[in-house]
Amino acid sequence: MKTLLDHNQLNITLMRLAHQLIENHLDFKETAIVGIQPRGIWLSDRIATMVKQITGQRIDYGKMDITFYRDDVHQGAVIVPNETDIRFSVEGRKVVLIDDVLFTGRTIRSAMDALLDFGRAQDVELMVLIDRRFSRELPIQPDYVGLTVDTVNTQKVKVYWKEKDERDEVVLIDQ
Amino acid sequence: MSLSVKHLLGIKELQPEDIETIFRTADNFKQVLQRPIKKVPTLRDTTIANIFFENSTRTRISFELAEKRLGADVVNFSASGSSVSKGETLIDTVNNILAMKVDMVVMRHSASGAPWFLANHIDASIVNAGDGINEHPTQALLDAYSIRERLGDVKGKRVAILGDIMHSRVALSNIFCLNKLGAEVTVAGPPTLIPKHIQDLGVRVEYNIKKALEWCDVANVLRIQLERQHKPLFSTLREYALYYGVNRDMLDSLQKNIVIMHPGPINRGVELNSDVADSKQSIILDQVENGVAIRMAVIYLLSGKGGEIAE
């Protein structure tokens, strides 16, 4: 097991991601942030809070579950879905999708499918904390990246959040 | 698999945790049904056959809608006008349908136990949409779900099931479901329509409708099933309405606002008067709406093929 980001490094990374987002959007009236369930919401919670604090603006922030849009539901055991909570229209908005780790790209494909069912967004950006860049199975690239790591498929990247796991840390696990 | 069963044959086989899982999943589907696009692609590679050997409108439509909203391909079969009338057996009918590569069967049959018989002979998952006078599990689930939605919880609530208990699969499934979720149940109606020894299922029996209403938080009024009565069990419908029907005056005389349910179709003016069925106390249309979400949840949860899902 190797630590990729410790508590301090994670905080600095999150701060940078929030500032990049603000730099690109400035006015958040047209922008909405959507975290992907289950683990992406810990990152999106932090980013949404930081952006609110820095800009002082009200921001539309929702959480989306993509279970019903997965392409592997029938290959394995079904999973009980998490909550979806999007209380605003995404029609014509700039949507920033947020997830913790980008691996094969299949979750993001499902998320884009799910998002389309809430309306036609003007454009969609992707923010991830960790980009496992050589593991992609679909042509999906993030717009905002916390840390790019080169891994093999047998390795696992795990992100721990203080709110849920009692510590902030990103680790690489050899299986 | 998230459920402890491969088929949904009856509530009797389910664990309380299974029911909770179904409710949790239905919450998500209910949310899907409120979106502009009320459909998800979850079951796009699944084919489901609805085979109805007995008349049904709302259950069949509810299942069909649930399946289509999940993106499944749907085949409908009804016994009238089919080879069944030429003497084909149940197992032959179903095997023929399964030979067309069907993944799941939703079946209604007039013979109690028919879905169990089928489950022993075929591999596909089976959902019981009502078998004779035995069980109607999805109805019981949507009833309990509607109670939970209106009153916050099912546990500790007092539910009276009124009317034709003898011929009702809804009553039996409701008793199993409500007991498993910790509600108290009383059945009430004319003595000729209440089966002997029903107390052994953990319910109270009451022959006075007024007393049952005074006791309960929820009254689930059932239809008089004249088509299942081979000999008269009460003198006239008028007399039944007089002594066992639920009407406005009766509800107004209670010191509380109880919730009124009915699985439909209603014999208006017999077991339930229109001024009650269409009142704010009635959650009959909520039951219909919740039926689609519950059936989506059941079908979704039974559709897994075992094994692990990649993270």
Side-chain angles (χ1 to χ4, degrees):
Chain A
M1 198 177 83
K2 183 184 157 197
T3 299
L4 297 175
L5 294 174
D6 63 18
H7 174 76
N8 282 336
Q9 290 166 316
L10 183 65
N11 262 344
I12 294 165
T13 307
L14 294 179
M15 197 55 89
R16 172 170 55 81
L17 286 172
H19 277 103
Q20 280 178 343
L21 193 62
I22 295 164
E23 195 182 321
N24 275 358
H25 289 258
L26 292 172
D27 184 359
F28 279 80
K29 273 198 197 87
E30 298 302 314
T31 305
I33 294 176
V34 175
I36 299 174
Q37 290 270 25
R39 305 230 21 132
I41 60 160
W42 305 108
L43 173 61
S44 57
D45 274 353
R46 297 266 188 109
I47 295 291
T49 309
M50 282 179 175
V51 173
K52 273 182 211 165
Q53 277 172 353
I54 298 166
T55 64
Q57 297 182 42
R58 199 190 70 81
I59 289 159
D60 280 332
Y61 166 48
K63 297 165 187 178
M64 185 168 70
D65 183 72
I66 52 116
T67 307
F68 301 139
Y69 295 83
R70 295 179 70 120
D71 57 9
D72 57 354
V73 166
H74 291 106
Q75 292 168 15
V78 294
I79 32 182
V80 177
N82 291 289
E83 186 197 11
T84 292
D85 181 16
I86 298 180
R87 298 175 192 193
F88 48 85
S89 168
V90 300
E91 193 72 34
R93 307 287 291 277
K94 296 175 179 177
V95 177
V96 184
L97 280 178
I98 298 187
D99 203 1
D100 58 350
V101 180
L102 176 58
F103 181 35
T104 61
R106 287 181 188 271
T107 299
I108 302 303
R109 186 214 59 81
S110 306
M112 288 194 286
D113 247 10
L115 192 68
L116 284 174
D117 280 358
F118 286 90
R120 187 178 183 278
Q122 186 196 316
D123 58 50
V124 180
E125 289 180 327
L126 175 63
M127 175 187 287
V128 296
L129 181 62
I130 305 293
D131 176 12
R132 298 178 65 175
R133 63 176 163 177
F134 294 134
S135 309
R136 213 80 79 240
E137 293 171 7
L138 296 171
I140 284 171
Q141 294 303 325
D143 299 287
Y144 308 91
V145 180
L147 181 70
T148 304
V149 291
D150 300 340
T151 57
V152 290
N153 284 357
T154 52
Q155 290 172 318
K156 202 172 175 179
V157 176
K158 181 102 182 147
V159 184
Y160 295 100
W161 298 100
K162 203 161 73 187
E163 297 87 333
K164 182 176 167 54
D165 312 305
E166 288 167 1
R167 71 177 199 273
D168 277 346
E169 196 182 5
V170 182
V171 295
L172 180 67
I173 303 165
D174 285 302
Q175 286 182 321
Chain B
M1 295 250 297
S2 303
L3 293 183
S4 66
V5 290
K6 185 190 170 200
H7 313 283
L8 180 66
L9 301 176
I11 299 289
K12 208 174 180 179
E13 286 89 11
L14 292 183
Q15 303 297 323
E17 300 78 50
D18 291 327
I19 300 174
E20 282 304 325
T21 304
I22 292 170
F23 285 1
R24 251 188 69 196
T25 311
D27 286 341
N28 292 72
F29 283 123
K30 211 167 162 185
Q31 195 262 336
V32 168
L33 294 174
Q34 281 154 6
R35 288 187 207 162
I37 298 174
K38 301 170 181 58
K39 195 171 164 129
V40 287
T42 320
L43 298 192
R44 64 196 141 200
D45 56 351
T46 302
T47 310
I48 303 176
N50 299 317
I51 54 177
F52 279 68
F53 292 91
E54 214 185 36
N55 292 338
S56 167
T57 308
R58 72 200 66 218
T59 305
R60 191 177 55 73
I61 290 175
S62 181
F63 267 111
E64 194 176 333
L65 204 55
E67 291 150 5
K68 287 183 170 166
R69 297 253 151 105
L70 283 167
D73 293 318
V74 180
V75 185
N76 283 313
F77 168 92
S78 55
S80 56
S82 74
S83 298
V84 173
S85 51
K86 299 176 189 168
E88 190 176 67
T89 62
L90 170 60
I91 199 85
D92 276 344
T93 307
V94 174
N95 271 330
N96 273 297
I97 291 171
L98 288 179
M100 299 171 201
K101 303 279 179 261
V102 166
D103 304 291
M104 194 181 289
V105 175
V106 176
M107 185 174 80
R108 166 166 290 191
H109 203 284
S110 58
S112 298
W116 278 262
F117 169 78
L118 213 56
N120 286 330
H121 287 86
I122 63 172
D123 279 338
S125 284
I126 295 165
V127 181
N128 180 4
D131 62 320
I133 57 167
N134 181 40
E135 281 228 43
H136 192 351
T138 53
Q139 180 71 43
L141 290 167
L142 76 89
D143 286 348
Y145 184 79
S146 303
I147 295 173
R148 169 183 178 264
E149 188 178 67
R150 177 56 76 102
L151 299 178
D153 200 354
V154 179
K155 196 174 179 188
K157 298 291 178 290
R158 294 172 158 190
V159 183
I161 304 175
L162 312 178
D164 188 350
I165 310 297
M166 175 91 82
H167 301 100
S168 176
R169 51 194 171 211
V170 176
L172 199 57
S173 281
N174 257 282
I175 290 169
F176 291 140
C177 190
L178 293 167
N179 275 345
K180 280 179 202 266
L181 295 177
E184 286 181 68
V185 183
T186 290
V187 294
T192 48
L193 290 178
I194 293 185
K196 284 180 184 165
H197 308 300
I198 195 162
Q199 295 92 329
D200 296 350
L201 296 179
V203 299
R204 296 174 2 135
V205 176
E206 178 63 69
Y207 300 112
N208 183 325
I209 291 286
K210 181 88 191 294
K211 280 189 182 165
L213 291 175
E214 279 167 359
W215 171 84
C216 71
D217 305 308
V218 179
N220 195 356
V221 187
L222 304 181
R223 185 172 66 90
I224 293 299
Q225 304 201 32
L226 291 171
E227 74 277 16
R228 290 188 206 277
Q229 294 184 18
H230 302 302
K231 55 182 181 185
L233 293 166
F234 51 87
S235 47
T236 61
L237 284 178
R238 189 176 148 75
E239 188 190 278
Y240 184 88
L242 208 57
Y243 288 102
Y244 298 101
V246 177
N247 56 50
R248 190 76 254 164
D249 290 345
M250 202 181 259
L251 290 188
D252 287 345
S253 71
L254 303 175
Q255 299 303 312
K256 55 185 177 179
N257 245 350
I258 63 169
V259 177
I260 300 290
M261 301 172 71
H262 193 299
I266 308 170
N267 291 315
R268 283 181 185 260
V270 183
E271 70 264 2
L272 202 58
N273 273 11
S274 286
D275 53 5
V276 176
D278 305 328
S279 69
K280 280 190 179 149
Q281 278 172 273
S282 151
I283 57 167
I284 294 171
L285 291 177
D286 296 333
Q287 288 175 267
V288 178
E289 188 189 335
N290 288 337
V292 179
I294 283 285
R295 288 178 175 118
M296 285 174 88
V298 166
I299 291 166
Y300 168 71
L301 291 168
L302 291 179
S303 67
K305 294 189 170 66
E308 289 294 314
I309 266 188
E311 264 189 60

